[in-house]
Amino acid sequence: MSMKRTFRAPIRHPGAGAINPSLWTLESPAAQRAAAEAALSAMPASPGLLRFSVFRGLEDLTLFLLSQWTDVAARDAFLAISAVPRASVDEEVPGIRRDWRKPASPYRGFVSGEKEEAGCLVVVHQPLLRPDPQVQRDWVDTVLTALEADPHPPSGLLSATFFLSDDGAHVLNLAEWTSADAHRAALRHGTDPRAQHGSIGDSPLWRAVRSHPGIRAEYEVRRFELLGAVEP
């Protein structure tokens, strides 16, 4: 079965029970574009694959690659043979630095009432102090409690979907925003000094997000735009 190209890739796929997200860093804008195209071309139509998407970092030379799968078994069966498509990408674009890969499963999410198209994907990568599936869930619950209780939800936020890494040591929030500028503006609302990238709220509930005892102080926030996706 051949893969078909699409330029819409909603994060909230109703059939997705597992994801394989990864972050790459390239040496130049040309290498960034070439690696994205090579990855899209190399992805095979594997059993259980729903969509494979590649996003370009808006402020650096990164790529965020996201494959969405029906379940963990289908994803892991592909990962066992993924060295083949990876080798073809490396042959076309040498020098790729693969920063991390965090196989994960969806836990909870938030959907706003805004109906606009997503123009920016914000990836929040939150490491825990130590692996603990209960802390993963509790921290996500804390974030969503703050977000859902906010009388003025951030303008431009369309959805936030939280994924728990298989190793129990990380949480990923893949948030769809109308634009990168909307996200930047929202982060200026909070004043918590522990929020190194800014905060979209300043209530006690939002402050509880950063003071949670199970998370590391250092975390990643990166903004991306979709370059393309393929589907079976």
Side-chain angles (χ1 to χ4, degrees):
M1 180 190 301
S2 61
M3 301 282 273
K4 60 179 182 289
R5 189 70 64 98
T6 178
F7 293 93
R8 292 194 69 255
I11 298 302
R12 293 171 291 108
H13 195 299
I19 64 169
N20 183 44
S22 58
L23 183 74
W24 295 359
T25 297
L26 287 305
E27 296 176 343
S28 68
Q32 186 185 39
R33 292 190 297 272
E37 184 58 37
L40 289 166
S41 299
M43 190 67 178
S46 303
L49 176 64
L50 299 170
R51 184 186 298 122
F52 173 63
S53 311
V54 180
F55 300 82
R56 178 184 72 88
L58 292 174
E59 288 124 352
D60 52 31
L61 293 175
T62 56
L63 292 174
F64 181 69
L65 300 92
L66 177 68
S67 58
Q68 297 163 282
W69 301 84
T70 54
D71 52 47
V72 170
R75 181 200 65 198
D76 290 353
F78 170 76
L79 291 180
I81 61 166
S82 62
V84 175
R86 171 174 170 164
S88 69
V89 173
D90 287 342
E91 184 176 352
E92 289 192 42
V93 189
I96 298 172
R97 189 182 81 204
R98 290 175 170 85
D99 298 294
W100 52 254
R101 185 181 74 181
K102 304 295 179 187
S105 299
Y107 174 49
R108 293 183 60 193
F110 169 86
V111 180
S112 76
E114 296 194 33
K115 303 299 183 183
E116 295 184 50
E117 289 289 327
C120 176
L121 174 68
V122 176
V123 177
V124 180
H125 173 206
Q126 176 62 65
L128 274 56
L129 288 173
R130 60 189 60 85
D132 189 327
Q134 182 55 48
V135 172
Q136 286 179 306
R137 294 189 293 269
D138 187 62
W139 185 73
V140 173
D141 294 344
T142 301
V143 176
L144 289 176
T145 295
L147 185 57
E148 291 166 354
D150 197 326
H152 304 291
S155 177
L157 175 62
L158 303 175
S159 72
T161 307
F162 291 83
F163 298 85
L164 311 182
S165 66
D166 291 3
D167 62 7
H170 307 264
V171 174
L172 288 171
N173 172 19
L174 307 186
E176 296 172 301
W177 289 75
T178 54
S179 68
D181 284 343
H183 179 244
R184 294 187 188 99
L187 288 180
R188 293 195 287 268
H189 290 176
T191 59
D192 190 340
R194 292 164 298 190
Q196 64 192 77
H197 299 285
S199 175
I200 63 176
D202 209 22
S203 67
L205 289 174
W206 277 115
R207 288 178 173 263
V209 170
R210 295 313 322 158
S211 63
H212 193 288
I215 63 170
R216 293 188 181 275
E218 299 79 16
Y219 61 103
E220 292 180 65
V221 176
R222 297 178 182 273
R223 287 174 281 265
F224 298 90
E225 67 175 3
L226 179 67
L227 289 180
V230 290
E231 300 173 342

